[in-house]
Amino acid sequence: MFYMEGALLKSSSVFPYFFLVAFEAGGLLRVVILFLLYPIICLVSKEWGLKIMVFVCFVGLKEESFSIGRTVLPKFLLEDVGNEGFDMVMKCGGTKIAVTDMPRVMVECFLKDYLRIDSVVGRELKVVCGYFIGLMEDQNGSKVEGEGKMDSSIIGINCLNSSLHYELFSCCEVVYLVSEADKNWSALPREKYQRPLIFHDGRLASRPTPVASLFMLMWMPFGIFLLLVRAAFFFLLPYKLSMQFLCFTGLKGTLIVSDDGRKTDELKRLGEDRGVLFVCNHRTLLDPIYLSMALAQVRSPSQRLVTVTYNLSWVSELISPIKTIRLTRNREKDSKMMEKQLKQGDLVICPKGTTWREPYLLRFSPLFAEITDDIVPIAIDFHVSMFYGTTASGYKFLDPAFLLMNPTTHCSATILEKLPKSFTCQGGKSKLEVANHVQALIGKALNFECTSLTRKDKYMTLAGNEGIV
């Protein structure tokens, strides 16, 4: 049995996780109220501070649709796990029981799915007519799952300043205490995750500590102004000038090609009778902007450039500098459409079919492999400083707004070698082999791990649907 905040996490403060619940599930008003109450939360007792945060963050939320504990919080909790604390917990054999001050609905998925903890003892929230009322059940009602199957000798790991769970730890034969001075721990490396963190959602890109939260709230008015300025200059200025302005305001990009210039010359000579198929991974909605900038340096300015996509909000389609064509999900129709576009110019396709954040690649759809042999992979990586501009369960029309509100972003596009004929369908490879080979090339260039998961898996996990807009 171990106390999660004191024996596993590097920081004992639970404020950032309640801030995430308020921001992702409650809205900006809850965020402001919670932040303004933070001094009071620090002054009152630990139990009353917890009650205040629970009430502000949960009152009025629908129990059935609350998914933050499954889709958002695991990422930030995993990043806060101490490597030494994790090793200490894992060395204890038998049934592992986590005790936490936070509501169980916030941490159960993180502990059971990502750390393989057997049981979680947390606070239960009161529900009336399917809605949280912002109150917690009596702490004495907390029970351990499988209590009758527990070992007779129980080892407990607690912290010195924890008094909320005295009764639970009093049944332990031995209790090891961890002080805050002892918690000079390093972060848990990804290799030790009991389950890889592949799917996660939410808008905030970094852990909202009180200082980071203050900076974010102070930045938001200026961020909205910067969003409007960036959008206005993008639409009003000529394309090349608007790209320079966006770069000046913090939206930077890097193009990586071969040093000797032979790759650039080869790309310029390709597609004299038809276009080139550029196959890339998909990171954000700004990918078309950076792709157009990158390809303008290696392709003829007169070469027509079109991108095909599965889903794209009308706002994203409006700001894209590349003409976008929607796929119908009918393989025969989509194949004919892409062949037609290649006869008119270059074509960009993202065979993953969805944006992605973590260092993994979803399975590539093999449709592109049978269309042409002139295939050039492009590896795209993207980093934001404050907000993610993608979501699976939120309002997708706000994706460009959050992305353009970032103080800075950075995109790197690496143009890889054109596929040799021996690795194409005409060279004897199947379309699945070609798709998997391109996925592996991009994964190697980015140091990302390739998976067999699809966009459907992503949306079913994060949003409970198949991702059809």
Side-chain angles (χ1 to χ4, degrees), residues 202-438:
R203 295 293 188 184
L204 295 185
S206 57
R207 187 169 181 266
T209 61
V211 175
S213 303
L214 174 62
F215 179 75
M216 188 203 73
L217 292 174
M218 293 175 62
W219 170 262
M220 286 197 75
F222 183 75
I224 294 173
F225 172 75
L226 187 60
L227 155 70
L228 297 176
V229 171
R230 284 169 170 169
F233 275 76
F234 177 78
F235 287 113
L236 296 177
L237 291 178
Y239 178 68
K240 290 186 177 181
L241 288 178
S242 66
M243 292 301 100
Q244 294 177 4
F245 177 79
L246 291 179
C247 184
F248 175 75
T249 60
L251 306 184
K252 301 183 181 297
T254 303
L255 172 65
I256 303 175
V257 291
S258 57
D259 296 332
D260 56 13
R262 286 179 296 178
K263 187 187 299 183
T264 302
D265 295 337
E266 180 186 355
L267 287 173
K268 288 183 178 179
R269 290 194 302 269
L270 279 175
E272 294 179 353
D273 55 340
R274 58 180 291 161
V276 176
L277 180 63
F278 294 98
V279 180
C280 62
N281 60 309
H282 195 12
R283 297 291 279 176
T284 71
L285 298 172
L286 291 186
D287 290 351
I289 295 178
Y290 291 105
L291 277 174
S292 63
M293 295 170 60
L295 295 178
Q297 301 182 44
V298 297
R299 296 292 284 163
S300 171
S302 61
Q303 194 75 20
R304 183 172 177 265
L305 185 62
V306 175
T307 184
V308 293
T309 180
Y310 286 99
N311 288 330
L312 198 68
S313 69
W314 66 270
V315 178
S316 304
E317 198 166 359
L318 181 65
I319 69 172
S320 174
I322 306 177
K323 180 182 178 181
T324 57
I325 298 177
R326 293 178 182 270
L327 294 173
T328 64
R329 300 181 185 276
N330 183 301
R331 300 186 72 86
E332 185 177 350
K333 289 182 179 179
D334 291 339
S335 180
K336 290 181 179 179
M337 179 271 295
M338 287 192 283
E339 287 181 359
K340 178 182 177 182
Q341 295 301 324
L342 277 172
K343 292 179 181 178
Q344 301 174 5
D346 293 337
L347 185 66
V348 177
I349 184 171
C350 303
K352 284 199 312 178
T354 185
T355 55
W356 206 243
R357 302 175 182 177
E358 294 301 306
Y360 296 92
L361 289 181
L362 301 188
R363 189 183 73 195
F364 279 20
S365 170
L367 179 62
F368 71 90
E370 49 194 7
I371 298 173
T372 181
D373 290 336
D374 291 331
I375 300 174
V376 178
I378 300 180
I380 297 177
D381 201 4
F382 201 97
H383 298 280
V384 297
S385 55
M386 188 173 290
F387 303 110
Y388 285 119
T390 59
T391 182
S393 57
Y395 296 110
K396 298 188 78 66
F397 69 90
L398 290 177
D399 287 358
F402 275 101
L403 200 57
L404 294 175
M405 282 173 58
N406 276 291
T408 60
T409 65
H410 185 268
C411 176
S412 64
T414 305
I415 301 179
L416 307 178
E417 297 284 349
K418 174 182 174 292
L419 285 191
K421 189 175 181 180
S422 58
F423 281 98
T424 64
C425 289
Q426 289 192 7
K429 299 292 184 180
S430 69
K431 60 183 181 181
L432 287 174
E433 289 176 320
V434 176
N436 291 338
H437 180 65
V438 173

